Amino acid sequence: MTTSASPRQPATKRGRDTRDAILRAAEEVIGARGFAAASIADITRAAGIAQGTFYIYFDGKEQVFRELVAEMGRFTRRTISEAVVDARDRLEAERIGLRTFLEIAATRPTLYNIVEEARFVDPPSYDAYFTAFARNYARNLGAAAKEGTIRPGDAEIRAWALMGLAVTLGERYGQRNPQADRDAVVAEVFDMLERGLRS
Amino acid sequence: MTTSASPRQPATKRGRDTRDAILRAAEEVIGARGFAAASIADITRAAGIAQGTFYIYFDGKEQVFRELVAEMGRFTRRTISEAVVDARDRLEAERIGLRTFLEIAATRPTLYNIVEEARFVDPPSYDAYFTAFARNYARNLGAAAKEGTIRPGDAEIRAWALMGLAVTLGERYGQRNPQADRDAVVAEVFDMLERGLRS
């Protein structure tokens, strides 16, 4: 899953597979039990490797955690970028982006937990995650206002508002309720965002 | 601050003052250091009471924490209800409600941290907090659609979307940035919510 460069990326395929197995095991264990309760022994057991092998790839639990948060950011941004590539305009792209995000929250609930836990475990990772999203979002909204697809307005405030809405809907109609009708959720929310609530 | 009934509310004024001092000290200590790092000794020291006195009012740290989350819910709902009492219609009430919420986030950043940490420390409290808000919200939005102030739509989905937006904006333009121009934030967001983004 990790494609962008990240620290100590192993040179061999086997090394990359082992590192990835550690990350997947850490995602599972930390995502399910929380950071404090998850031990490195739990992670290496779940990965099926010796505990010493862990330290070839990571300095400790904190570093694996940071890497998971960064990975979640890259994965989410890439998945959304790929999903919206054929969108006709920014509003359609935002709609597909929200739909894609809700699906990620539903299918990878543990990674979702990890990003939220970063608020307490590793605040700089948490900030970096949301700031990168907001920057992207604001750039796209600014461009859409410039080209006239959406009404003019403060792109940064809009970006944080839309991001907040996505995070809570992802928790409510994705992570905690994988059976939810996410198409209906997105249709309802975009009716509000495109046309407004006022009758 | 606590006015609604809650478990083991002391009968005397002095008892209520002591209990309240413990809650305020716990808010400060847990809100600043996080639940795991805050000890009961830290809390009683900050409250200026003997450690034994703590147990007259609470079973342990978990109970104080639960009570803080419940108190934050009551306080926020009451403060918003009072603020919107003269609103002309539901959209104005929602706007004043968001403005009030951002102010709470700016002026009581530690309570804000505590509610967010509840997601991990005490998930039932966290769920109860947001579910109570969403229920209120959905009831108000449903009534507004019925009376024709806002367009018809799924009140529950709208409620969770608006709540999510408020939480993130509260963090961004309140808790972390008490100097932010919150009037501008609310004006921008309500321009989007009332009239929609589409040009």
Side-chain angles (χ1 to χ4, degrees), chain A residues 44 68 130-131 186:
Chain A
T44 53
L68 283 175
F130 284 105
T131 305
V186 171

Side-chain angles (χ1 to χ4, degrees), chain A residues 25-75:
Chain A
E27 175 185 342
E28 189 190 315
V29 173
I30 298 175
R33 295 181 211 173
F35 182 78
S39 70
I40 290 177
D42 294 330
I43 294 169
T44 53
R45 199 176 309 115
I49 58 164
Q51 212 171 319
T53 307
F54 178 95
Y55 293 98
I56 300 173
Y57 300 94
F58 298 100
D59 290 333
K61 209 168 62 161
E62 289 73 13
Q63 203 200 354
V64 178
F65 186 83
R66 262 199 311 278
E67 179 57 22
L68 283 175
V69 177
E71 187 190 83
M72 177 64 167
R74 291 192 299 266
F75 170 72

